[in-house]
Amino acid sequence: MKISFDALPLISENMSGIGYCQAGLVSEMISSHPEDSYTFEYFSRKDHEIKRNRLSSYMKKNCSVNESHFSGFLYRTIMNIIPVPYSLFFGKKSELTHFFNYIIPPFVNGKKVVTVHDMVIRAYPETVRFRTKQLLLTGMKKSMKRADVIITDSEFSKKEIEKYYPQFADKIEVVYCGVNKEKFYHIEDKERITRTKASLGIDGEYFLYLGTIEPRKNLERLIDAYKLLCERDVNVPKLVMAGGKGWLNSGIYGKVSEYGLEEKVLFTRYVPDEDLCPLMNGACAFVFPSIYEGFGMPPLEAMSCGVPVVSSGEASLPEVVGDCAVIVDAYSPDSIADGMYRIYMDRPLREELSKKGMQRAAGFSWERSAEKLHEIYKAVLR
């Protein structure tokens, strides 16, 4: 097969969850199926070498780059108004092109696959940035109509797409995300954890949230819950919040100041990739109270590290964590606080969830997911 990937999520300066999902799938597929040829396609107006370097880890003998020096921003801005053919920039050699970020441009040559990770644009539009919202509202229906197959990350998201776009129900296939077990694993080396904590200014025990600092992650209620927890027991561990800053986050930081929790709630600086695993391993529990996730990678990564998880029961999260987490009501600070207190006070429970979590995470492999996706490609081309 001659397969092309839209490489934009892989070459972005700050890779998002969409980028990590694509990285796991394409890396494994390229290694497992050298009989096929793969092309990474992207627009690039500047910093060409930087982008090529970001792709270098994926490049094998069966891979190539197809780079257009037209403005990708301009193309994405006008393509839903003026249907300029994508093939003008990238040609007609590919038999199949996969777009991992919701949108298929007009007039792509060959078969077309798109990943629609969730329906947050319809379920919680107020949590989406204005520019992204406009692109998705004007382009997603057209994109799914163009697609030969729609990939999504969970059975929950499949049902969500069917609810809002029932006309595309027969096109949808579920391909779960995996977990990078070389990046997230149980660490026995306590010194490594201690060094990472010191570098981030963390001392003592801590609960950990890792993810984007934005409203959809339900972090204001997490701060409310943590305040209740501190009122119950002043000696509870600190709350460490690590991740890139999203938008509409001022209320999250404001609550910490309002409650006088500046000494107890720590927002870390940027955490390098090599420090994520020891940071995760050092936590007494991982807390993820999100109200909407198409999959929910962070709690899976925590389970892969053997860290017990407190998770909301919303959206796809029960599909990911199963019975290997303390499940709380995302809309109740009291419930979140109770879950955190329970997991902190009950050491046998933490040990049980640690073992069960690692076993469950082992079932979410990129190898399995990439093989399913490859079979879907073959079926589409047949």
Side-chain angles (χ1 to χ4, degrees), residues 179 184 208 280-281 285-287 297-309 354 357-358 361:
V179 62
F184 293 99
L208 176 66
M280 194 80 86
N281 271 266
F286 184 80
V287 188
M297 190 78 79
L300 182 62
E301 292 167 345
M303 291 193 301
S304 187
C305 292
V307 177
V309 172
S354 173
M358 285 192 285

Coordinates of all heavy atoms in Angstrom, one line a residue, residues 179 184 208 280-281 285-287 297-309 354 357-358 361:
V179 N -0.5 2.8 25.1 CA 0.4 3.5 26.1 C 1.8 3.1 25.7 O 2.1 2.0 25.4 CB 0.0 3.1 27.5 CG1 0.2 1.6 27.8 CG2 0.8 3.9 28.5
F184 N 6.3 5.1 30.0 CA 5.6 5.1 31.2 C 5.6 3.7 31.8 O 5.0 2.8 31.2 CB 4.1 5.5 31.0 CG 4.0 7.0 30.6 CD1 3.9 7.4 29.3 CD2 4.1 8.0 31.6 CE1 3.8 8.7 28.9 CE2 4.0 9.3 31.2 CZ 3.9 9.7 29.9
L208 N -1.2 14.0 42.0 CA -0.8 14.5 40.7 C -1.9 14.6 39.8 O -2.7 13.7 39.6 CB 0.3 13.7 40.1 CG 0.8 14.1 38.7 CD1 1.6 15.4 38.8 CD2 1.8 13.0 38.2
M280 N 5.3 10.9 37.6 CA 4.1 10.1 37.7 C 4.4 9.0 38.8 O 3.5 8.8 39.7 CB 3.8 9.4 36.4 CG 2.4 8.8 36.3 SD 1.1 10.0 36.0 CE 1.2 10.0 34.2
N281 N 5.5 8.4 38.8 CA 5.8 7.3 39.8 C 5.9 7.8 41.2 O 5.6 7.1 42.2 CB 7.1 6.6 39.4 CG 7.0 5.5 38.5 OD1 6.9 4.3 38.9 ND2 6.9 5.8 37.2
A285 N -1.1 9.3 44.3 CA -2.3 8.9 43.5 C -2.3 9.9 42.3 O -1.9 11.1 42.5 CB -3.6 9.0 44.3
F286 N -2.9 9.5 41.2 CA -3.1 10.4 40.1 C -4.6 10.7 40.1 O -5.5 9.8 40.2 CB -2.7 9.6 38.8 CG -2.9 10.5 37.6 CD1 -1.9 11.4 37.2 CD2 -4.0 10.4 36.7 CE1 -2.0 12.2 36.1 CE2 -4.1 11.1 35.6 CZ -3.1 12.1 35.3
V287 N -4.9 12.0 39.9 CA -6.3 12.5 40.0 C -6.7 13.1 38.6 O -6.0 14.0 38.1 CB -6.5 13.6 41.1 CG1 -7.9 13.9 41.3 CG2 -5.9 13.1 42.4
M297 N -5.9 9.5 27.9 CA -4.6 8.9 28.0 C -3.9 9.1 29.3 O -3.3 8.1 29.8 CB -3.7 9.6 26.9 CG -2.4 8.9 26.7 SD -2.5 7.4 25.7 CE -2.7 8.2 24.1
P298 N -3.9 10.2 30.0 CA -3.2 10.3 31.3 C -3.5 9.3 32.3 O -2.5 8.7 32.9 CB -3.5 11.8 31.8 CG -3.8 12.5 30.5 CD -4.5 11.5 29.6
P299 N -4.7 8.9 32.6 CA -4.9 7.9 33.6 C -4.4 6.5 33.2 O -3.9 5.7 34.0 CB -6.5 7.8 33.8 CG -7.0 8.6 32.7 CD -6.0 9.5 32.2
L300 N -4.4 6.2 31.9 CA -3.8 5.0 31.4 C -2.3 5.0 31.6 O -1.7 4.0 32.0 CB -4.1 4.8 29.9 CG -3.6 3.5 29.2 CD1 -4.2 2.3 29.9 CD2 -3.9 3.6 27.7
E301 N -1.7 6.1 31.4 CA -0.2 6.3 31.6 C 0.1 6.1 33.1 O 1.1 5.5 33.4 CB 0.3 7.6 31.1 CG 0.2 7.7 29.5 CD 0.4 9.1 29.0 OE1 0.2 10.1 29.8 OE2 0.6 9.3 27.8
A302 N -0.7 6.7 33.9 CA -0.5 6.5 35.4 C -0.6 5.0 35.8 O 0.2 4.5 36.5 CB -1.6 7.3 36.2
M303 N -1.6 4.3 35.2 CA -1.8 2.9 35.6 C -0.6 2.1 35.1 O -0.2 1.2 35.7 CB -3.1 2.4 34.9 CG -4.3 2.9 35.6 SD -5.9 2.0 35.1 CE -5.9 2.2 33.4
S304 N -0.1 2.5 33.9 CA 1.1 1.8 33.4 C 2.3 1.9 34.3 O 3.2 1.1 34.4 CB 1.5 2.3 32.0 OG 2.5 1.6 31.4
C305 N 2.4 3.0 35.0 CA 3.4 3.3 36.0 C 3.2 2.6 37.4 O 4.0 2.7 38.3 CB 3.6 4.8 36.2 SG 4.2 5.7 34.8
G306 N 2.0 2.0 37.5 CA 1.6 1.4 38.8 C 1.2 2.4 39.8 O 1.2 2.2 41.0
V307 N 0.7 3.6 39.4 CA 0.2 4.6 40.3 C -1.3 4.5 40.4 O -2.0 4.5 39.4 CB 0.6 6.0 39.7 CG1 0.0 7.1 40.6 CG2 2.1 6.1 39.7
P308 N -1.9 4.4 41.6 CA -3.4 4.3 41.7 C -4.0 5.6 41.2 O -3.5 6.7 41.3 CB -3.6 4.2 43.3 CG -2.3 4.6 43.9 CD -1.2 4.4 42.9
V309 N -5.2 5.4 40.7 CA -5.9 6.5 40.0 C -7.3 6.9 40.7 O -8.0 6.0 41.0 CB -6.2 6.1 38.5 CG1 -7.0 7.1 37.8 CG2 -4.8 6.0 37.8
S354 N -2.7 -0.4 42.2 CA -1.4 -0.4 41.5 C -1.2 -1.6 40.6 O -0.9 -1.5 39.4 CB -0.3 -0.2 42.5 OG 1.0 -0.3 41.8
G357 N -4.0 -1.9 37.9 CA -3.8 -0.9 36.9 C -2.7 -1.3 35.9 O -2.9 -1.1 34.7
M358 N -1.6 -1.8 36.4 CA -0.6 -2.2 35.5 C -1.0 -3.4 34.6 O -0.7 -3.4 33.4 CB 0.7 -2.6 36.3 CG 1.5 -1.4 36.8 SD 3.1 -1.9 37.5 CE 2.7 -2.6 39.0
A361 N -3.4 -1.7 31.9 CA -2.7 -0.9 31.0 C -1.9 -1.7 29.9 O -1.8 -1.3 28.8 CB -1.7 0.0 31.7

